[in-house]
């Protein structure tokens, strides 16, 4: 069924507590944890507890949860004290754009200068 945990999904395992992660925030619908290979001083992933392969699929099925993720991204930025300076939120979508984990996740990046356009 759409949104159900997938046995072979790394981020479903983090949600279930089967794979360790440095969790910084959790809500009824989301988990936020530090990226294992950080690209900036603040690099946190905000994920839905439900499984969808990418952000657009989540938006189509459960738009409120997508809103929860964005709201949480600001809380993460505030807690890491990067909200005032500015931070970037990114949904890599598709392998060609660098998506490697096919459970929707929002990257929250901050704490250094951020180039635009990104590479
Ligand atoms: P993406 O390339 O957009 O699919 O992002 C996946 C992100 O997950 C990458 O930035 C990885 O560094 C990160 N990642 C992979 N495994 C883990 C893990 N076990 N804990 C935390 N972050 C991870
Ligand atoms: Zn998953």
């Amino acid at each position: 069924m759409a949104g159900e945990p997938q046995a072979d999904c790394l981020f479903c395992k983090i949600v279930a507590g089967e794979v360790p992660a440095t969790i910084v925030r959790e809500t009824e619908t989301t988990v936020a944890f530090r990226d294992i290979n950080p690209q900036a001083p603040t690099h946190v992933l905000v994920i839905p507890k439900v499984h969808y392969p990418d952000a657009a699929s989540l938006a189509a099925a459960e738009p409120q949860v997508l809103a929860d993720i964005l709201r949480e991204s600001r809380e993460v930025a505030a807690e890491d004290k990067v909200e005032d300076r500015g931070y970037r939120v990114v949904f890599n979508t598709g392998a060609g754009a660098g998506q490697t984990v096919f459970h929707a996740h929002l990257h929250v990046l901050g704490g250094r200068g951020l180039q635009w356009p990104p590479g």
Side-chain angles (χ1 to χ4, degrees):
M1 208 176 97
E4 292 299 308
Q6 302 293 299
D8 58 351
C9 173
L10 173 64
F11 287 178
C12 283
K13 289 179 181 161
I14 288 177
V15 169
E18 294 165 11
V19 166
T22 305
I23 292 174
V24 295
R25 290 183 58 82
E26 182 169 2
T27 69
E28 200 175 308
T29 56
T30 67
V31 180
F33 53 93
R34 300 216 178 265
D35 195 293
I36 205 166
N37 182 24
Q39 303 301 312
T42 289
H43 188 173
V44 171
L45 303 176
V46 186
I47 72 170
K49 289 184 173 176
V50 289
H51 177 96
Y52 290 93
D54 55 43
S57 304
L58 174 65
E62 303 197 36
Q64 182 58 49
V65 178
L66 188 66
D68 294 344
I69 286 171
L70 275 170
R71 199 177 54 245
E72 279 296 291
S73 72
R74 183 166 69 187
E75 298 299 331
V76 166
E79 287 186 5
D80 268 21
K81 302 199 177 347
V82 299
E83 188 185 6
D84 291 347
R85 182 174 175 188
Y87 57 97
R88 183 166 293 155
V89 290
V90 178
F91 284 114
N92 292 328
T93 302
Q99 188 178 4
T100 58
V101 178
F102 289 84
H103 178 129
H105 54 278
L106 181 63
H107 294 260
V108 183
L109 297 151
R112 64 165 169 79
L114 294 164
Q115 303 292 321
W116 188 261

